[in-house]
Every structure is written in C-alpha cells, then in structure tokens.
Amino acid sequence: MNKKLSLLGAAVATSLLLTNPAPAEAKIPFFSGEQEIPTLAPMLEQTTPAIVHISVAGNREVRQRLPEAFRHFFGQRGSNEYKEERPFKGLGSGVIIDAEKGYIVTNNHVIQDADEIEVRLKDGRTFSAKKLGADPETDIALLQIEAKKLVQITLADSDKTRVGDFAVAIGNPFGLEQTVTSGIISALGRGGLGIEGFEDFIQTDAAINSGNSGGALVNLRGELIGINTAILGPNGGNIGIGFAIPANMMKNLVDQIIEHGEIRRGSLGIRGQDVTSDLTEAMNLKVSRGAFVNEVMPDSAAAEGGLESGDVIISMNGNKINSFLELRAKVGTLGAGREAKFGILREGKERTITVKLKEVSTSQVAASQMHPMLDGAELSNAEGGGVKIDSIANNTAAEQIGLQANDVIVGVNRQRIANLAELRKMLDNRSGVAALNIRRGNTNLYVLIR
C-alpha cells in the first residue's frame, strides 16, 4: 500500500468513527474477512522440500605472482607466476529431479574441484553426494544421494515460457537456506554474454544472489522452468538481472550424463550468422530473425539432412530460433544421435527438414575452454600445423577481438604451435597479455588477449 492509499484508508476510518462512535470492528477496505488473500504459500510448501543446500570443500589450484627478487633467486625464467593448491569451501543450491534415484541438479561451478559434497534437505537431514557427471560448457552438474522420503520437483516445458510470466527463485543466497524471491520472466534466449560456452538463458528480475547458483526458478504451479546460474550486477549484488538455464536444456544434458556418463555434444555442421536487416534486404528475405546458413560442411548432419547454404533456420522442434547463437546452444545441448526438426525458409517458401545430429569431433573443442576471450569460436587441428578457427558465433568475445572463421593460429607470443594441445599449454602458462599469431589467407597478423 503506498502512502496516498494509506492516508485514504485513515480518512475512511475517521469518517466512520464520527458517524458511529462505537464501531464493532474496523474493516480493512481491500480484503474482507471472507475473502481469501492471494498467497504463494501453498505452492511453496509443496515445492521447497525439493530444493537443497549444498556445501563443498576441496583444494583448488591458484596462480600466485612471484616477486622479482625471488624469481631470480629460485631460477625462474620466462614467467613471474607459480601455481599452488589451496583449500577452499563453498555454498550453493540444488534441485531434486528424481526422488527415487536421488538425482540432484546443480551448477558445475558450485561443485567444481570439490573433494567433499554435502547436501542438506529442508527437513534437516544431511547426506554425502556423489558426482555423476558435469558439463562446464553449460554449467550443469548431476549429483546423487542415497536417501528415502525425498521430494522431487516437477519439470515444466521451458520452451512454453513467455516473457511476462511470473517466476519464483528458490535457493540459499549467502547461506540463508530456503530463501524465496519473486518476479517475472524478463527475456528469453539470452546469449552472447560470455558466461558459458553454450548460452540460451532465461532472464528474470526475481532476486538472485551468491549462493542461489544451482537453485530453482519455478512458475506459479511450482514447476521447474530453469536452474539459476548467474547474475549481472556490480560486486556480485542483485540489480534485477538474473539468468537461468532452461529446464529443457538441463534435462537434455542430464539424460546424456545418465545414459553415457558424459556429454555427447550434438553437431549440425554449418557455418552461419544472425539474420540482420542488411542481410534481409540483400537476400530479399521475408523474416527479420533466425539463423542464416552461410555454408554446409561436407559429410555433416546438415548435408545428410538436406540443409543448403542460403537457408534460413527459423525454428527447431517447433520452437522459434531468433539467432545463430541460440541455434548453436540448442543443437549443442540436444545430444549426438538425436533427431531435430528444423523449420527453414528457402527461396521464400517454408519447409521442414529432419536432421539426425552427429557427435562433435574429439579434435574440435569450444575455444572458451582455452581462454574466455576466445568464447564463441570452434577450434580444430589445422592441416600442416596450427589451430584452425572453424566458426565464430555472432556477438561473442572471439568476434569482438577480431577473429574470423578460417583463421589459423600458428603461434603464441612468437612461439609456434602445432596443435590444440600446444595451444592449450601455451595459454595455461601465459603471463599477462598473450599475442596470437594469426594466418589469414596470405596475411599474418597478431590478436592480443588478456
């Protein structure tokens, strides 16, 4: 109730006292005793037992800068950094998705490097958890506990979530267990943030803070629509911009971990870009959003399924595709061997093509595993030596620093590299700025990363 409404209520009460000096009972004008006050309590009473508190402990490798004098004293050359292991503790949240089998989903960054994982339920029971698998590229991890009388959450079809839907975040911010905040869905399909390798986030203004990671974002039915994973805000504080991994994406990844014990990344085998106004005008397209196919790779899933260069992918499995980055995230997390139905626009006519996704080659990796500023690039070993950039996703760190598809990284800090393993080693041992020596056609250039 705002101040004006409060004053208005006081004036009404005063008027009643003047006309009737001895009222039996003062009534609140908004809700009578017979009216039910709107509340989320019944839903939360059913849902919150599925949200758990996670505490971890372990040892983590950290880099320390060696003072110049000691560097010479110990004979260190080339680098003024050294690595050491330090103990750490952390807190987070998790969601029970299978009560019978004791499966709990959380964020990979919550349990990464942990030697001990402890799960505490709402009823106070505590269990040691076993890590079944994880995917750092999407920040999803699957745990298991042996316990009875667990409560699992119901999964929503997150593809049916709409901007403006009410949302409730449940977790353990700053260790404050079973904290509930509410808001709305602010946006869908958020990507290009450089948070994860594959991004297709649900954005919400429900308050999310440190410790909410791995917790639940639910609708008003108490169904899981997302796993809270990150916020945008100064010093880690909430400013009403939070991000959750969609429940459907999470389920695809968890199913792969359960079935294979690992993530088998799906590959379509195309190079492309977002549909832009310039592209729409140049190609006379009838759509303003989607993923434009620049090139179809030979012997790829796309080639076998009938996709062609010049096609515009506008939907996947019945859900709209707004950008190439969104397509990349959905394909990469669906899993190898799965079929996907793509709605495409070809020469002004809509068609549907079914493609069986292949598995990403073991020699091809996401560049974000090498360095955050390479996020958005796909790398593979180049013929004749070096590391080839197979593709660059739009609005990513790799694009912003000037990298392009078909570039070949031939060296780092004037030292030649022959393959992905050498590139990873060079970047792991870097100190400060790293200069990538790029071969682009007949030209050599340098790109700096920090």
Side-chain angles (χ1 to χ4, degrees), residues 6-235:
S6 298
L7 292 174
L8 177 61
V12 172
T14 303
S15 175
L16 290 172
L17 288 171
L18 290 175
T19 56
N20 187 357
E25 182 180 9
K27 296 282 188 179
I28 299 176
F30 297 99
F31 296 100
S32 66
E34 294 77 21
Q35 288 178 300
E36 184 176 349
I37 299 175
T39 177
L40 297 176
M43 178 273 284
L44 292 169
E45 288 167 359
Q46 297 295 318
T47 305
T48 51
I51 315 304
V52 304
H53 177 276
I54 296 177
S55 56
V56 301
N59 291 287
R60 181 169 290 159
E61 190 177 77
V62 296
R63 295 184 179 187
Q64 296 292 320
R65 187 172 293 276
L66 194 67
E68 191 72 17
F70 287 98
R71 184 157 67 101
H72 290 294
F73 179 78
F74 287 110
Q76 299 285 336
R77 298 191 182 278
S79 173
N80 60 349
E81 290 184 341
Y82 69 97
K83 299 177 182 179
E84 67 174 3
E85 284 197 347
R86 287 187 177 181
F88 75 93
K89 293 183 177 181
L91 300 174
S93 309
V95 183
I96 301 173
I97 60 168
D98 190 318
E100 183 179 349
K101 297 180 180 178
Y103 290 154
I104 297 172
V105 172
T106 186
N107 285 142
N108 176 68
H109 76 258
V110 171
I111 53 86
Q112 190 173 14
D113 300 324
D115 299 318
E116 300 175 10
I117 305 174
E118 185 179 88
V119 170
R120 185 161 61 249
L121 308 182
K122 184 181 180 181
D123 62 16
R125 290 183 292 162
T126 301
F127 301 91
S128 293
K130 177 173 65 175
K131 177 182 172 182
L132 298 183
D135 182 26
E137 287 294 282
T138 56
D139 203 16
I140 283 291
L142 181 64
L143 310 178
Q144 186 176 35
I145 61 174
E146 294 184 5
K148 297 181 179 179
K149 297 182 180 180
L150 296 177
V151 176
Q152 71 183 47
I153 202 164
T154 301
L155 302 188
D157 182 354
S158 57
D159 287 328
K160 294 182 179 179
T161 301
R162 300 179 301 172
V163 173
D165 286 351
F166 289 106
V168 177
I170 312 171
N172 308 294
F174 303 108
L176 300 172
E177 298 183 32
Q178 297 290 320
T179 294
V180 177
T181 57
S182 65
I184 64 169
I185 301 300
S186 306
L188 298 169
R190 286 293 193 210
L193 304 174
I195 300 173
E196 311 297 350
F198 292 88
E199 299 178 344
D200 186 24
F201 291 127
I202 296 171
Q203 181 182 327
T204 180
D205 66 350
I208 296 174
N209 288 284
S210 178
N212 270 115
S213 291
L217 186 69
V218 303
N219 58 26
L220 294 189
R221 297 189 191 94
E223 299 168 334
L224 183 72
I225 56 178
I227 299 295
N228 300 322
T229 189
I231 60 173
L232 184 64
N235 304 317

Side-chain angles (χ1 to χ4, degrees), residues 408-417 423 435-438 446:
V408 178
I409 303 173
V410 295
V412 178
N413 292 345
R414 299 184 182 276
Q415 296 185 41
R416 295 193 65 82
I417 60 166
L423 175 62
L436 304 182
N437 184 193
I438 305 294
Y446 285 92

Side-chain angles (χ1 to χ4, degrees), residues 238-423:
N238 173 65
I239 60 171
I241 303 177
F243 301 102
I245 301 164
N248 288 2
M249 177 185 287
M250 175 274 293
K251 187 177 185 304
N252 287 334
L253 295 163
V254 166
D255 287 347
Q256 293 174 55
I257 292 173
I258 294 171
E259 183 177 356
H260 306 295
E262 62 180 359
I263 300 299
R264 296 187 175 178
R265 191 81 63 207
S267 172
L268 186 56
I270 64 171
R271 293 173 181 160
Q273 64 182 76
D274 293 348
V275 172
T276 63
S277 57
D278 291 340
L279 186 62
T280 299
E281 183 178 354
M283 300 293 292
N284 194 26
L285 302 176
K286 295 182 179 179
V287 292
S288 58
R289 292 183 180 273
F292 184 78
V293 180
N294 289 351
E295 182 182 357
V296 176
M297 308 304 293
D299 302 320
S300 65
E304 293 176 3
L307 278 172
E308 299 177 1
S309 59
D311 287 346
V312 179
I313 299 175
I314 56 177
S315 68
M316 176 175 167
N317 292 336
N319 300 299
K320 289 183 178 180
I321 295 294
N322 293 309
S323 67
F324 190 81
L325 206 60
E326 182 181 1
L327 173 68
R328 175 177 174 269
K330 289 186 182 297
V331 167
T333 56
L334 183 58
R338 302 282 184 87
E339 286 192 346
K341 289 186 178 181
F342 294 101
I344 67 169
L345 190 67
R346 179 182 295 170
E347 297 178 353
K349 296 180 180 180
E350 292 190 16
R351 303 185 183 188
T352 300
I353 291 180
T354 300
V355 177
K356 186 175 182 180
L357 301 179
K358 292 189 176 183
E359 188 170 358
V360 173
S361 169
T362 55
S363 65
Q364 188 181 57
V365 298
S368 59
Q369 296 179 11
M370 302 281 190
H371 192 283
M373 290 187 71
L374 299 181
D375 179 57
E378 293 288 341
L379 307 178
S380 63
N381 291 325
E383 294 183 10
V387 173
K388 182 183 177 183
I389 299 178
D390 295 315
S391 63
I392 297 283
N394 291 333
N395 302 317
T396 59
E399 182 187 56
Q400 291 170 6
I401 64 173
L403 293 176
Q404 298 179 11
N406 297 318
D407 283 352
V408 178
I409 303 173
V410 295
V412 178
N413 292 345
R414 299 184 182 276
Q415 296 185 41
R416 295 193 65 82
I417 60 166
N419 49 41
L420 285 164
E422 290 187 7
L423 175 62

